[in-house]
Amino acid sequence: MGTSLRDVARLAGVSVKTVSNVVNGYAHVSPATRAKVEGALSQLDYRPNLSARNLRQGRTGMIALALPELDAPYFAELSRFVIDAAAEHRWLVIIEQTGGSLERERRILDGVRDHQVDGLILSPVAVGAEELAARTDDTALVLLGERIYDGPADHVAIDNVRAARDVTEHLIGLGRRRIAALGAQDDTASGTAPLRLAGYRQALAAHGLPETIVKVDRYQRAEGAAAMAGLLAAAEPPDAVFCFNDLLALGAMRTVLAAGLRVPEDVALAGLDDIEDGRYSTPTLTTIAPDKNQLARIAVALLKQRIDGSTARPPEEFTAGHRLIPRESTVGRAPSGG
Amino acid sequence: MGTSLRDVARLAGVSVKTVSNVVNGYAHVSPATRAKVEGALSQLDYRPNLSARNLRQGRTGMIALALPELDAPYFAELSRFVIDAAAEHRWLVIIEQTGGSLERERRILDGVRDHQVDGLILSPVAVGAEELAARTDDTALVLLGERIYDGPADHVAIDNVRAARDVTEHLIGLGRRRIAALGAQDDTASGTAPLRLAGYRQALAAHGLPETIVKVDRYQRAEGAAAMAGLLAAAEPPDAVFCFNDLLALGAMRTVLAAGLRVPEDVALAGLDDIEDGRYSTPTLTTIAPDKNQLARIAVALLKQRIDGSTARPPEEFTAGHRLIPRESTVGRAPSGG
DNA sequence: CTGAAAGCGCTTACAG
DNA sequence: CTGAAAGCGCTTACAG
C-alpha cells in the first residue's frame, strides 16, 4: 500500500499515536515534536488510509444519493446542489440510479449498509410509506422531493398541491377555460402526480371549470409530445395545458409548434421544475420554480442530524419554497424587433 | 456496529474462516456446514463491513468520476452511462464537480488516494498534459472526452477535428457562405475548443470561405445567447453558425428567434453533443452525436484494465464514434399542418 | 474441508 | 505532552 503512520513515526522518531495526533490536528503537541512529524509527513507524502480510519470510526464520510435518473435535468440540477451541500460537511456523494423501479429502490434501501455510506438521500418514486416503515436497515435516511407523508423518515419537498393550484390559477387568470392536466399516473406509491392533480382540481373546482386529465408513464419529453398529440386530436382541444413537469411541457410544446399552432395564442403551456431548458426555449416556458438549493441543503442538514444522532427526534416533514415564474408560453412574447 | 463474522461463526458453531468462505462463495464447503452457516447468516441478517474488507484487500469498489458540472446535460447523460457501465463491474461511482477550475482538477488528481477510490475518470478542462505527466499519485486514471493527447494516461474521446469539419462541411453543402464559429476559448490547456476550431478552419479553407470566430468563457446557454446577439449586430451577420456545443447553439437559437429572424432561413444553426433538448427544440437542432455509451464503456473498461494492472501497457488513445444528425435548424422543417 | 493466527492502518482509552 | 497496546472486521497464507 502507501506509507502508513508507522513509517512516518519511525522516520520522525516518535510513536504512532503522536503522528496520529498531528495528522488529526490534536491541540496538545509540542512545537518541536510537531515540526519533526510534519517534516516526516511531507517527506513521505503521507496519505491516511481512509478504509482503516472508517473501520475504526464506523464512519465512511460518504453518503448516497439515489434518484430515478441522472440525465433528467431536474435531478441533475438537484444533484449538483446536494453534492455541493454535502461537500460542506466533508462528505462525498455516491449517486445511484433507480430508474424509478420498485425493485431497485428496495435494493438500495435495504443495501445501504453494504455500501458503507453514512446515510442515504432517496428520491422515491415507487416504494410506499408502509414499506419504508418496515425497513430493517437503520442507516440514516432522508426522503427528498416526493410524497410519502407521515412516513418513517425525514422528508423534504415543496408544497406540490399548492404549486399545482398556483399554476392552474395562473392559467385561469389569463382567461383560459379548457385547461388540461398532463402527467397523471397510475400505480405510483409515492409520486407527486396525485398531489399535483389534486391542486389542479382544486383550482378548477373553485371556478367551476371542467377537467381534462391525461396520464403518462414517465415524465419525459417524448411522453409529453405524444400525449399532446392526443389532446390536439380531440374534438375540442384545450386552450391551456398544465404539464406536471417541464420535460413534459417541452415535449408538448414541440408537438404544438410542429402542428403549426401558436404558443400561447392557441394553446398556453406551463410546466413545473424550472429546468434551464425552459428559460431558453422559444417561447420560454412558464413554470413553478422549486427552491432546489433549499431542498438540497435541508436534506443534507437533516441527514447530518440523523447521522450525528444526538437527538432521536421523530421524523419530520419540511417544505421548501416554490414560486410561479410566468414566461412567454402563457403570457406571450414581449414585442421584438421582428 | 452490526453483526460481524465472529457473531455468525459463534452461532453456527464454526470458525470465522468458514463463514468467510461461505460469504465469499468459496467452492469447497461441505453442504452441511454451508447450510448451518447460511442459517446463522440470515438469522443475524449479516452484512459484511466493507471498510474492513477494503482495508484488507486494498480495494474500495468505488471509482470517482470528475467532471466540470453535473447539470450540463451532456455530462449528466454521460454520467448515466458511466454509472451503468461501472455497475457491471460492481463499482459504485462517486461524482465530483470541478467547475472546470484548474485548482479543483489538481486537487482531485492529487487527492484520489485520500478518497480511497480504486480509480479515477477525469474529464479535464484546465489541467495540461505536462502537469499530468508530473503527477505523483499512481491511482489508475483515465481521461475522458477532452484533449490532452500524448498525455501520460489512457484517453477516450471522439475525433473532435473531424466532427467539427463534418458539421462545417454540412453547412457549406447547404449553400451557406458566411459561416461563423461560436465557442473558441483562450486559456484552456486541455479543452476541445482548439480541435473544433481546427476542424472548422480546415473545412472553410478547403472551400476558400472566410472565417468568423467568436470566443466564449463557458459552454452554456447564456453565453451562446449573448455571443449570438453580438453576431447579429455585425454589419454582415453570418448565414450559419457552428456552435461548439449544443447548449451554446440553443442559447444562440433563442437570440435569433427572439429577434424575429428565422432558423434556418435567415441563420442556420448547428451544435455538438446531441443532448436531448435539441431533439425537442423548435426548430430541432442539427448536431454531432458522440457515441456517449461507447465513450463511457471504453473509459470504464480501460480503468478496469489499469486497476487489475496485470499488463502495464503504455497509455493509449481511443477514439469513439460520432455522427452528424441533420435536423431542422439547418435543413428546414418538414411541411406541417400549419 | 476446516481452524487458529496474523495483520491491513487506523484511533482510542489508558498510563505515565 | 507522549507512548504501548488493544481492537475495529475482514481475508489470507499456513497447517492439518
Side-chain angles (χ1 to χ4, degrees), chain A residues 185-232:
Chain A
Q185 292 190 302
D186 293 325
D187 260 11
T188 57
S190 63
T192 47
L195 302 176
R196 294 179 186 174
L197 189 60
Y200 160 81
R201 302 178 89 161
Q202 286 176 13
L204 291 186
H207 295 264
L209 294 174
E211 299 173 356
T212 304
I213 296 167
V214 181
K215 289 183 182 168
V216 299
D217 284 329
R218 309 208 52 166
Y219 281 21
Q220 296 169 343
R221 291 179 182 86
E223 300 233 358
M228 189 71 221
L231 280 169
L232 291 182

Side-chain angles (χ1 to χ4, degrees), chain A residues 147-169:
Chain A
R147 195 171 62 178
I148 310 203
Y149 288 115
D150 306 318
D154 291 330
H155 176 226
V156 204
I158 62 166
D159 182 339
N160 277 286
V161 176
R162 177 68 190 274
R165 210 168 56 212
D166 290 349
V167 189
T168 312
E169 291 282 0

